[in-house]
Amino acid sequence: MKPENILEIKNLVVKFPVSGGLFLKKVAEVKAVDDVNLEIKKGETMGLVGESGCGKSTIGKTVINILKFSAPGVEISGEVWIRTDEGEVNLLRLNNNEMRKYRGLIQMIFQDPYSSLNSRLSVGQIIEEPLLYHTKMSKNERMDRVAWLLEKVGLQAEQSKRYPHEFSGGQRQRIGIARALATNPKIIIADEPVSALDVSIQAQVINLLQELQSEFDLTLLFVAHDLSVVEHISSRISVMYLGKIVELGPGEKVYHHPIHPYSRALLSAVPLPNPKLKNKERIILKGDVPSPMNKPSGCVFRTRCPIAKPECADFIPVLELKTVEHFAACPYVSA
Amino acid sequence: MSDKAEKKVSTSIFKKRWKKFKTIKRGYYSFLIIVFFFILSFFLPFFVNRDALIVKYDGEYYFPVVKFYSAETFKQQGVQGEANYRLLKQQFKEADSDNWVLMPLYPFGPNENLLDELTEIPPTPPNSEHIFGTDDRGRDVFARLVYGFNIGLSFSLVVSFFSYLVGISIGSMLGFFGGKIDIFGQRFIEIWSTLPFLFVMIILSSILNPNFLLLTIVLTLFGWMNMTYYIRGEFYREKARDYVSAAISMGAKSSTIIFKHILPNALTPVITFLPFIIVANIFSLIALDYLGFGLPPPTPSWGQLMNQGMQNIEKWWLIATPLLAMFLTLLSITFIGEAIREAFDPKVYSRLR
C-alpha cells in the first residue's frame, strides 16, 4: 500500500452465478465488478458514479464484506487492503470471525433509511449496537455516547427513546449516520445515502456528512448516481460503466471536463438550473446498456460509443494518465 | 419541535398493536374472560371440591383443602379413608355442637364417586344439587367440566409452546442459513408431515400408557411443521433487508442477528396463528379423549364426557354440557385470534363489521 492511502482495491472481480435447470446448476454468471483498481487516500471523499447496475454498490458491499451473506454463491477475487493501527489488512482474506474485529473501523450508511433501521428497536438501541460489539463501555457510557452522537447529527438526545417509525426519512438517515459514526470508524462507505430523500433534505444530509467528515477526519467512499451530489462532496470521482472504471480524476475536472466518451455523455445529461444554457450540447447514446451476462468483447462501451473504431473490439482499454491525476480508459481521447 | 410534541409518549410497534387490539371489544373482552377463568381454574380446589375449606373440631382448626385427614380424625362413623365433609357438616349440624365445617362453593369433586348419595341410578339429570347432573359413574358433571377446562387449556398451551419452540427454531435455521440446510430440511419436513398422526397415536397408546407427558411429546412431534414454513418465509424476506446487512456490518454475530434482529420482525405469523393453534390443540385433546387414546381415566376431560354422552344418547346433559363448554371456549379464543389478526393488519377497515 502507498503510505497516503487508507483503502486500496486491487484487481477486484465479483461474479454472481446465474443458476437454472432442474438441479439449479450454474448456467451463466454476471460479472458485476470486472477487474477494478481503486486507491482511496486518507481523508478524501471518493465519489463513485455510474448508472444502475454498473456495479458501484457491489464495490461498496464487497469492501464492507457483507456480500457473501446476501448473495451466498457470489465469487469474489482480488484484494481489498485497509490500513489499521496494527498494519495493513486484506479484508477479503478474512473469515467472518476475523472480519468482526475490523468492522468498527469501516462502517456503512445505507441507501434506504426505512429498511436499514430495525423498527423493533428504539433509536438509542440502534445507535448503541455497534458499541456493544466493539467497546467495553458501561450502559451509562453508551447512553452518553448515543446522546452525544444524536446531537452531532442534528437530532435531540431525548429522542433516543423513540422508535424509527416516528421519524421522517431525513431524520432516519441521520440516525443511520449516527450509528455509522458510533465506533469512530476511519472509513465510511456511503451507499447512495441521499437518493431516497427528497431534494431539500438531500442538501442537509450532504452538508452534515461534509461537516462530520472534517470533524472526525473520515475517509468517504461515496456511491451515487446523482452527479451533482457527487461533484459537491467528492474530492475525486470515478465513473463506472458495466463493472469497469472508465474515468478517474479530481472532482472538478471530471465534472467540468470529462475525457472518456461515456463520462461526457453521462455529464451532458445532468440537468442545469440555468435556462440560458438550455442549448448546451447533449450527447445522446445509442441503444441500451448491454446485458452484463453477455458483455461486448474488448472495450465494453464500444457498442454505444460515438467514436468507436473497429479495433475497439480487440483489446480491453486500461486507465491511462491524460492530464494531472486524471485517468481515462480510452486511448483515442485526450484532455 | 415543540415541547408538547416532546412530551408525547413514544410507542413501540408492539404497544401500538396492543392498543389497537384493545379497541376491538369482542376480542379484547374474550381475552380478558378467558385469561380470568384460566387463572381462576388453577384455584379450583377452593371453589369446586369435595374437601372442606376449614373444619373447626373440638376447638381446633383443620384445613382439609390442603391436607389429608382420615375419617377417624373427626370420629366420623361408617366412612373409610378420607373424611366425608358434606356428611360431617350434616352430622355437626345434627349434634348442634360448636364444631362447624366450611364447604367450598360447589361441594363436589371431579373424580368423586357419588353412588352412595344418589337416590337414582346414575347418570342422573340436572337438579339443584348437581346443576349439570351426574355421569354414568355417579360423578358430578359440572365439577368434571370445570376441571376439564383447566386441563384442556393447560395441555393445549403446553403443546402449543413446545411445537412453537421446535417450529420456530427449525424454521429460523432453514430461513437464515438457507442453501443445503434449507433444501434437505424442507424435504425432511415434507416426509415427516406425511406420517399419519392418528395411526401413530393408536399404535403408541397400545404399547405405552398415554399420559400428559407422552401426549405432549406426540402432539408436539406432529404439530411443529406448519410453523416452520411461515418462519422460514419471514426469515428469507427479513434477512434481505438492509437492517440485517447493517447488523452484519456492525459486527453482530449470527445468533444476535437471528434473535435480536430478525426474530422480533418475523413474529407476526406466530402471534396471529397462536389462538387458532391453541384451539386446534384443545380440539385434538378432546378428539383423543373421545376416542379413548387421550389422558388416562379418571382425569376429567370433555372428550371423555362426550364419549359417555354418545353411549347414553338419551341423557342429553352428558352431551349438551361439554359441547356448550367447548363451543364457548373455542368461540372466545377464535374471537381473540380474529382481533389479534386485525390488530396486526396495517389496513384499518379490513374487518367485517
Side-chain angles (χ1 to χ4, degrees), chain A residues 100 103 115 118 129 134 166, chain B residues 10 243 248 250-251 261 265:
Chain A
R100 207 164 283 139
R103 293 223 184 260
S115 79
N118 186 345
E129 202 181 351
H134 298 288
E166 296 170 300
Chain B
S10 184
Y243 70 87
I248 298 169
M250 279 183 273
H261 291 284
N265 285 292

Side-chain angles (χ1 to χ4, degrees), chain B residues 170-315:
Chain B
I170 292 181
S172 21
M173 240 170 58
L174 298 184
F176 185 76
F177 294 110
K180 284 210 173 66
I181 297 177
D182 187 26
I183 290 172
F184 287 110
Q186 276 207 292
R187 298 298 87 75
F188 171 77
I189 290 169
E190 278 158 17
I191 294 166
W192 189 254
S193 307
T194 59
L195 274 181
F197 166 65
L198 211 54
F199 287 160
V200 175
M201 197 57 231
I202 291 169
I203 293 165
L204 270 180
S205 58
S206 67
I207 307 165
L208 302 158
N209 234 348
N211 56 31
F212 199 93
L213 183 71
L214 180 80
L215 281 178
T216 310
I217 293 172
V218 174
L219 277 173
T220 303
L221 284 181
F222 283 94
W224 59 271
M225 291 86 76
N226 233 352
M227 197 35 67
T228 59
Y229 298 125
Y230 296 104
I231 289 289
R232 176 183 165 274
E234 290 283 315
F235 263 69
Y236 262 99
R237 197 189 65 203
E238 292 296 323
K239 81 173 180 180
R241 298 183 59 190
D242 276 349
Y243 70 87
V244 177
S245 296
I248 298 169
S249 73
M250 279 183 273
K253 294 197 179 87
S254 291
S255 55
T256 317
I257 294 166
I258 292 177
F259 291 112
K260 185 173 174 183
H261 291 284
I262 304 184
L263 199 56
N265 285 292
L267 285 181
T268 305
V270 172
I271 296 166
T272 44
F273 276 111
L274 183 62
F276 303 106
I277 285 183
I278 290 172
V279 165
N281 283 324
I282 293 179
F283 208 83
S284 303
L285 183 70
I286 291 174
L288 284 174
D289 279 336
Y290 178 82
L291 294 172
F293 302 116
L295 297 170
T299 317
S301 90
W302 296 355
Q304 199 264 338
L305 265 175
M306 278 181 216
N307 189 4
Q308 282 193 20
M310 282 304 285
Q311 283 162 23
N312 306 287
I313 198 87
E314 73 280 12
K315 314 284 192 234

